[in-house]
Amino acid sequence: MDNNIITVTSPFLPPLEGFTPYLQDIWESRWLTNNGKYHQALETALCKHLGVRCISLFSNGTSALVSALQATRITGEVITTPYSFVATTHALWWNNIKPVFVDIEAGTFNIDPSKIEAAITPKTTAILPVHVYGNPCQVHRIKEIADAYGLTVIYDACHTFGVTIEGLPVLNFGDLSVMSFHATKVYNTFEGGAIISHDEATKKRIDNLKNFGFVNETTVVAPGINAKMNEVQAAMGLLQLKYIDRVIEKRKVLAETYREKLKTIPGITYLEDLPGVKHCYSYFPILINKDTYGDTRDDVYEQLKKQNVFGRRYFYPLISQFPTYRGLESAQPGKLPVAEKLAEEVLCLPIHPYLDNESITRIVSIIRGKR
Ligand SMILES: *Cc1c(COP(=O)(O)O)cnc(C)c1O
């Protein structure tokens, strides 16, 4: 039996010889960080590649999320989703903002817009939705609600890269969007992140905030943080950009292969591409319905693990179930029924550029054999 270890993700690494010229140049220039030439070049290149007006690079996605809330002066209560990576809600906590969890839609795993209005109070200042697995939220519906109530919208777009809706970049919806370029994401700069904004004044404020609040040598306008991307990260980003289209194309083929092989297994469901959406295939979640499949998600997870296949139960537990948040009224058991159910059924299967068809065959046959 083939027992090679298969991990849920594996960072794409361009050929090393492509990276050494950048390193040589950085060494020679002795300019390591603070808006260096690779930092500037990556901002320009990403704006073009992603089809956005302004981008501010960050040292990671979490510091970008925290800073996005600072930049927009969000306070009070923010409506968000329990079904995400924990950093989404941690960013609110670090800003002393009360998270208000709203349930998700079964079809997309994203916040359910029809349940947002009921969660709005006089203290609500913003909505922080997540494009979960890179599937775009109902951005038009969310905008209508935000406009009607005068709320800011900040998207956690950490799972997206190059995703479009009817040809429009998903990053252009909302007041700000936050990206992550962590090693486990589709596009990586080792660690890294960014805030997308839509005008120069906002970009400038964000750029100040990630550099201690400095606007010039002697003027500090806000209690900013240090969240700057360094030159080595930025150079990695420039190099990765040369490969990203091929990486996403490979992921698409893998997703299609999974769907083809999984479709005859009763009790297993997965997402299809949404109409009009160009996806980035950052994850491949399946749902395991215990009644139809005959076994639980955790059984499948353990069985795969025994055979050296490491899936991840993203997103279980829900953020609302962690000790920091479970005391909140909106986190009480039974209040988020769809999220609670999906968190028990979901398993993200391995998907990354180094995965081959044989590995998918092996993974699917374990899932099939388990029944
Ligand atoms: C990865 C991720 C983050 C955090 O990004 P880092 O770069 O790891 O700090 C935030 N939100 C979501 C949804 C993520 O997947």
Side-chain angles (χ1 to χ4, degrees):
M1 190 173 51
D2 174 9
N3 255 339
N4 287 335
I5 291 174
I6 306 177
T7 49
V8 73
T9 185
S10 183
F12 175 72
L13 285 171
L16 186 57
E17 58 266 28
F19 198 42
T20 44
Y22 289 102
L23 290 179
Q24 241 149 18
D25 190 48
I26 292 167
W27 255 243
E28 277 160 27
S29 73
R30 307 184 73 82
W31 191 314
L32 306 186
T33 186
N34 287 20
N35 201 26
K37 80 172 177 200
Y38 290 119
H39 184 284
Q40 291 174 29
L42 184 58
E43 287 196 342
T44 306
L46 280 174
C47 278
K48 186 158 173 266
H49 184 92
L50 298 169
V52 301
R53 175 142 173 228
C54 301
I55 189 166
S56 301
L57 298 175
F58 273 75
S59 51
N60 60 63
T62 305
S63 60
L65 274 170
V66 170
S67 301
L69 293 158
Q70 287 277 317
T72 42
R73 301 179 189 279
I74 300 304
T75 57
E77 295 179 4
V78 168
I79 290 171
T80 189
T81 171
Y83 194 90
S84 180
F85 183 60
V86 70
T88 311
T89 309
H90 280 354
L92 297 171
W93 200 259
W94 276 80
N95 280 288
N96 207 16
I97 293 163
K98 181 178 168 186
V100 176
F101 296 112
V102 162
D103 206 4
I104 60 172
E105 301 175 308
T108 63
F109 300 88
N110 290 330
I111 195 165
D112 184 342
S114 73
K115 296 183 180 154
I116 290 177
E117 282 186 86
I120 296 174
T121 77
K123 290 187 182 152
T124 309
T125 55
I127 309 172
L128 176 60
V130 182
H131 302 298
V132 179
Y133 309 132
N135 297 313
C137 293
Q138 289 197 42
V139 289
H140 297 292
R141 188 74 197 96
I142 290 170
K143 182 173 164 37
E144 273 170 24
I145 298 165
D147 288 350
Y149 290 85
L151 303 175
T152 300
V153 179
I154 299 175
Y155 281 107
D156 180 332
C158 288
H159 291 177
T160 79
F161 195 90
V163 172
T164 61
I165 308 171
E166 310 292 351
L168 302 173
V170 72
L171 295 170
N172 284 336
F173 293 91
D175 295 273
L176 300 175
S177 290
V178 177
M179 306 180 78
S180 167
F181 307 146
H182 183 258
T184 54
K185 305 300 206 271
V186 170
Y187 168 86
N188 91 82
T189 60
F190 306 106
E191 295 262 5
I195 301 180
I196 307 300
S197 56
H198 314 304
D199 65 88
E200 291 297 332
T202 306
K203 171 176 163 53
K204 207 160 176 208
R205 174 160 166 77
I206 294 165
D207 288 345
N208 295 339
L209 284 173
K210 74 176 188 194
N211 187 31
F212 311 98
F214 277 108
V215 292
N216 62 37
E217 235 179 274
T218 50
T219 315
V220 172
V221 292
I225 199 164
N226 178 7
K228 303 185 298 289
M229 179 180 279
N230 70 47
E231 286 293 271
V232 177
Q233 288 172 287
M236 178 69 155
L238 285 167
L239 184 58
Q240 291 275 4
L241 262 191
K242 298 179 185 170
Y243 297 88
I244 187 66
D245 289 345
R246 273 171 280 173
V247 165
I248 292 174
E249 186 52 38
K250 168 88 203 235
R251 287 174 169 275
K252 179 181 164 79
V253 172
L254 294 172
E256 282 164 355
T257 308
Y258 265 129
R259 287 171 184 155
E260 187 53 38
K261 290 184 190 293
L262 286 167
K263 74 177 177 201
T264 52
I265 308 182
I268 302 288
T269 51
Y270 44 80
L271 295 176
E272 296 289 354
D273 286 2
L274 298 170
V277 172
K278 179 175 175 282
H279 290 267
C280 65
Y281 309 95
S282 42
Y283 297 85
F284 192 83
I286 62 168
L287 292 171
I288 298 154
N289 180 287
K290 185 175 66 146
D291 299 334
T292 324
Y293 179 77
D295 244 329
T296 66
R297 181 273 315 275
D298 286 345
D299 292 330
V300 179
Y301 168 77
E302 294 296 342
Q303 188 65 28
L304 286 166
K305 206 155 109 177
K306 266 191 213 143
Q307 311 224 23
N308 273 340
V309 176
F310 296 88
R312 288 297 295 261
R313 287 166 288 184
Y314 288 141
F315 287 101
Y316 161 87
L318 296 172
I319 302 176
S320 50
Q321 291 165 341
F322 289 120
T324 315
Y325 306 113
R326 68 184 173 207
L328 293 167
E329 198 185 78
S330 63
Q332 295 313 301
K335 291 219 160 174
L336 305 160
V338 180
E340 286 164 20
K341 178 166 185 287
L342 296 186
E344 293 297 325
E345 294 188 347
V346 72
L347 182 63
C348 285
L349 298 180
I351 188 164
H352 59 75
Y354 303 107
L355 200 67
D356 54 20
N357 272 355
E358 282 155 42
S359 301
I360 294 188
T361 304
R362 188 176 134 206
I363 293 163
V364 173
S365 69
I366 297 169
I367 297 171
R368 193 185 296 280
K370 185 73 187 92
R371 294 188 71 237

